[in-house]
Amino acid sequence: MKNIKLRPVLIIFALSFVFFVGSSADARIWEYVETEFQTSAGYTDNLLADSSAVEDSYGLGKVSAKFYPLPIAEILLNGEYTNYGNYVDLTNYSGGVGITVIPLKENSRFSIYINGNFNSRGYRENFESFNTRIYDGIASLGYSVSPIMQLRAGFSLKSTSYLHVLAVDNTKYEIFGGVNTSFLGKNSFDLQMGYAFVDLTYWEKQVWHPPDISGAQYVLPERTDEYPPTDGHLKLLQIWPRYSRPIGDKFAIVINYSYRKFDDLGEIAVAGVTTQSLSPWASIYEGESISFTLKSFFLPNFILESGVGYWKKNFLNSNENRNVPLLAKYIILARHDEQNKAYLTIKRPFPLKSGLFIEPTVTINHTYNNSTNAQYDYTNLSISGGITFRY
Amino acid sequence: MKNTAKSIVILGAMLCLFLLSGGERIAFAGETVTKPYVDMDGDGFDDNASDEDGDAIPDAADPDYVPAPAEDENMSGLINFGETLKEVGIVEDFSTNMQKFDRLDFHTRAMAQNRCGFDAGEEFGSEGIGIGGSSGGGCVGGVCR
């Protein structure tokens, strides 16, 4: 437990107390509170999702409590603790609070959804640079044109602060609109379009030197403090159509396509933080994807879900800190990935008459990532088993 | 060229059959189907399908589900008090705050997620360390999990 701060752990224990001890309280409390406890254990052959291919096992505990002071409001408290078997420095905790308000009546054609959350995550000393505080929120308006068609539009933001690395702090703003409709009986089509902005700090191309080493596009001078980064923002356009339908009573298919493109982006490079699974830039890319998902109830009382997907991702250039003899310490790397993913999830829900809901889950994931940056050429197989208790 | 056109016609006909199939929803005895097929949570199944025991498996696919027996109108010749009460009974919502919120939450299920953000698509297969369960239980029977 060395270097792990005590406060979030206490929050987790307090929430566990609500879950396990609270059941003996006045039954009416459960009209206002819903608690959930989840635990899981798993193994991955590529913990950091990069070419290092670090194998490890992990255990995770998660507790949450939802409070309903009013019929239109939900307050969420949650805590999470993840422990790693070999890579112990990656052990981390998180705690958060959130509120959701839905102020209009359910039979109204209009709907309003407002949600805000705060979450803090902390790592041990060697990974403290990845400690984050995240604020996120979403506000959206819906209009039911008919029982089978709903229009929606909204705004969301997510602000991530890295407590020890200021150059990678970012705030993402997104506006979006969409439509969902059914047609020809049991066919569903959903289209969403969005425009997103992110504040970021970057180096412009003028300060890069010509490339002279394998794998590097450009080279920065050794002393980056003589060439300070500039502040700006990046814009992303995204279109995401989805088709879905059931096949009989026990099978359903979903096909998703997405297209995303940076708008008016010059040649820039951002500060690299090279642990892929924790990188602030892992979700900032342009490209396209297509995925196919099958959900099934063909095994009695089980929920099976499996999917395959293909992603093409062009990431931002990153300014990586490397030991390159006779040249420079920092190099600018470009990265273009092609990724294939497949997964299978099996769940067995047990809704008990006492009101307790228990659900064991097993998940298998496989990812194959092919990248122009050798650091991100990797495969990843992960297997996890977990159980959820909800009351 | 002729073969290509023929293939396109056959594929088109098959696509039409696929899209048009399954338009009718199966109703159990005693169940009145009033809501059309809608899939806003994106799992392919009807969000409005009934789920009596709340296990996120629609009753039509749930072996635990026992349909309520149909009322036998010829059971007796006496007064049907239930029918009378339906007409004059007091209509009041005795749901808890949580149940009321769940219904509102169901109503806004398509609005609660922004599928076009920078993080969109990252949840596919929940590759990261976590509980698993790629898309939760989905929405069924008027509740989202």
Side-chain angles (χ1 to χ4, degrees), chain B residues 1 11 39 50 57-59 63 70 77-78 86 89 95 117 126 128 130 136-137 139 142:
Chain B
M1 192 69 185
L11 282 173
D39 177 31
S50 60
I57 300 174
D59 292 339
L78 300 176
K86 276 180 195 170
S95 307
S126 17
C139 297

Side-chain angles (χ1 to χ4, degrees), chain A residues 183-238:
Chain A
F183 63 99
L184 297 176
K186 291 188 168 187
N187 296 278
S188 176
F189 178 73
D190 190 285
L191 176 67
Q192 187 154 319
M193 291 176 290
Y195 201 64
F197 308 80
V198 61
D199 293 333
L200 76 172
T201 303
Y202 57 85
W203 284 270
E204 291 174 302
K205 192 174 180 180
Q206 290 88 318
V207 301
W208 304 354
H209 286 187
D212 195 26
I213 56 172
S214 170
Q217 267 196 329
Y218 298 95
V219 184
L220 267 179
E222 186 165 359
R223 289 185 57 80
T224 53
D225 53 344
E226 290 177 6
Y227 301 89
T230 53
D231 293 327
H233 58 270
L234 178 152
K235 292 168 276 184
L236 179 80
L237 172 70
Q238 188 165 18

